Amino acid sequence: MRPLASVLFILTLCSGPLLSGEEQSVRIYRHADPEMLGRAPDRSSVISVDLADFTRGMPAGLQSPEPTAYLVEAGVIRNLEDLTENNGKGETQGLKVERLGPLTYRIEFPLWNIENVYRFDPPGPELESVIRDYYSNVYWREIVSGEYANNYTVTVIQAVDLLNPRGTIDYTEVLLAAALVASREQPLWGIHDGLGLLDGLGYALTEAKNERTHETHNYREYLTNSRKMRELVLRLLQSGTELSSTVHSVVGSLIQFEKDDTLLLPEELIEKGEGDCLEFALFYYDILRRLGCEARILALEAEGDYEGDLPCDFVTVYRKEEFGPWGYIHYAGYGPASFDTWEEIPGHILRDSAYYYSIDPLECMRERSAYLPHRDIWSVSKY
């Protein structure tokens, strides 16, 4: 049994924004048992169906809803609610959703002619019975039950009549339908990993929202490695913890400090895995902008350090809401959003009379260099 992993399933390629382009098929265990909500006592054989094959199937209703033990994370359900909050319908690239009732949705993936109806249910006693019957060890039983506790299971109401088209749906087709939208990793032994076609919905919604409000996701196009950058943004977007510490920790695990004569763009830095303080600052700026924050980059100098060349440090300052407090991140540390103004931050970092200058990040990335005027026109920040 593997623990439920953080979702990094992201929007790429021609398959639409909710599929990675690497996995083009959905899989279930052949010996899945309906009496155990689809858990398979024998995992030796797998049924695999290419998504392209769904185009020849037709939607068909079930005589009664079919519950499964497939898990969908609560964040996906919140995203479905957000997508359909206006008139019960919503659409992003590659996905159409209609809310039919409480936690019940018609979900269509037009590219593959897939149109299923799902209800997402909190875990019930039947699932607890399945878990209890399999896990005699209390430790593992509690872990698996805990994975389900704050999430939802997939109940299929309508699926694609795919394998033996005859206008009726068997349980194999039910499980294929459930696996399409189930989270990528499943906690219950005997339930095959899902395909996670909805796992990238939160990112798609945020991107669409920011486009509508002229916000941050599309302030510049990535030249390379867009998938890696977008996966990182989604990972941070779904973290739900304090922003500056999370960003600093995650980025610090991916990129090491190393002085370099060539200025790398954020998408190049994540590929190389090492960069200097300015490249870190631009990387943080890019990430924070795409997370919806207001951000700027400051060049810093302590009094007496100026030599007419690049400063000793660059720092990225940010705030999440208009008129909200400011925080900062740079390669060596971070400060939570607790400053009334960003002008306080240079003095806080250097703990002396600090000189600072706000650079233009877009120009910096465009020219691959930082323009810094003479120190005489820099500002001074007192801690």
Side-chain angles (χ1 to χ4, degrees), residues 9 12 15 67 130 145-146 180 208 210 262 275 313 315 342 366 368 373:
F9 204 45
T12 58
S15 303
V130 171
S145 294
L180 288 171
N210 286 338
T262 303
D313 204 358
V315 62
W342 61 264
R366 184 170 56 250
R368 292 186 181 255

Side-chain angles (χ1 to χ4, degrees), residues 26 28 47-60 112-114 116 159-170 172-177 180:
V26 60
I28 62 170
I47 296 174
S48 178
V49 177
D50 290 342
L51 292 181
D53 291 339
F54 279 86
T55 57
R56 54 188 177 80
M58 293 296 293
W112 303 289
N113 195 35
I114 299 173
N116 295 333
V160 175
D161 187 12
L162 173 67
L163 300 179
N164 299 296
R166 59 195 179 282
T168 59
I169 302 296
D170 62 25
T172 297
E173 291 166 323
V174 166
L175 291 183
L176 288 170
L180 288 171

Side-chain angles (χ1 to χ4, degrees), residues 54-269:
F54 279 86
T55 57
R56 54 188 177 80
M58 293 296 293
L62 281 71
Q63 291 184 347
S64 61
E66 289 281 3
T68 75
Y70 270 103
L71 178 148
V72 171
E73 291 187 339
V76 171
I77 307 306
R78 290 194 296 270
N79 292 331
L80 289 171
E81 292 175 349
D82 290 343
L83 182 62
T84 58
E85 65 180 350
N86 291 329
N87 58 1
K89 296 182 179 181
E91 183 175 349
T92 66
Q93 183 184 359
L95 173 69
K96 295 181 180 180
V97 179
E98 179 183 3
R99 187 174 65 247
L100 302 178
L103 298 177
T104 304
Y105 299 89
R106 184 187 311 279
I107 298 176
E108 180 182 355
F109 301 97
L111 181 62
W112 303 289
N113 195 35
I114 299 173
E115 182 184 304
N116 295 333
V117 177
Y118 301 97
R119 190 180 70 226
F120 300 100
D121 297 316
E126 190 176 359
L127 175 62
E128 281 300 319
S129 176
V130 171
I131 295 173
R132 185 173 57 252
D133 289 346
Y134 177 71
Y135 293 97
S136 58
N137 185 301
V138 175
Y139 172 77
W140 289 111
R141 185 192 308 162
E142 291 182 350
I143 286 179
V144 175
S145 294
E147 294 283 7
Y148 279 98
N150 298 313
N151 296 298
Y152 294 82
T153 58
V154 181
T155 294
V156 179
I157 297 175
Q158 174 185 292
V160 175
D161 187 12
L162 173 67
L163 300 179
N164 299 296
R166 59 195 179 282
T168 59
I169 302 296
D170 62 25
Y171 201 70
T172 297
E173 291 166 323
V174 166
L175 291 183
L176 288 170
L180 288 171
V181 297
S183 297
R184 292 295 300 274
E185 295 197 15
Q186 295 292 313
L188 177 59
W189 191 98
I191 294 292
H192 197 284
D193 290 346
L195 190 56
L197 286 183
L198 299 178
D199 287 351
L201 180 56
Y203 185 91
L205 289 173
T206 302
E207 185 174 66
K209 177 181 177 181
N210 286 338
E211 285 179 0
R212 289 194 300 269
T213 59
H214 307 288
E215 259 289 352
T216 58
H217 278 73
N218 292 323
Y219 78 99
R220 60 176 290 266
E221 293 292 332
Y222 289 127
L223 299 182
T224 60
N225 299 319
S226 62
R227 181 179 177 189
K228 286 186 178 181
M229 293 298 292
R230 291 178 183 275
E231 285 180 346
L232 177 58
V233 171
L234 179 61
R235 178 180 176 184
L236 295 168
L237 188 67
Q238 297 182 334
S239 67
T241 54
E242 203 284 321
L243 184 59
S244 55
S245 62
T246 302
V247 173
H248 185 268
S249 172
V250 170
V251 174
S253 68
L254 297 173
I255 303 170
Q256 305 302 313
F257 180 81
E258 182 70 32
K259 290 189 178 295
D260 194 344
D261 294 333
T262 303
L263 179 63
L264 299 176
L265 300 177
E267 57 268 36
E268 297 168 334
L269 184 65

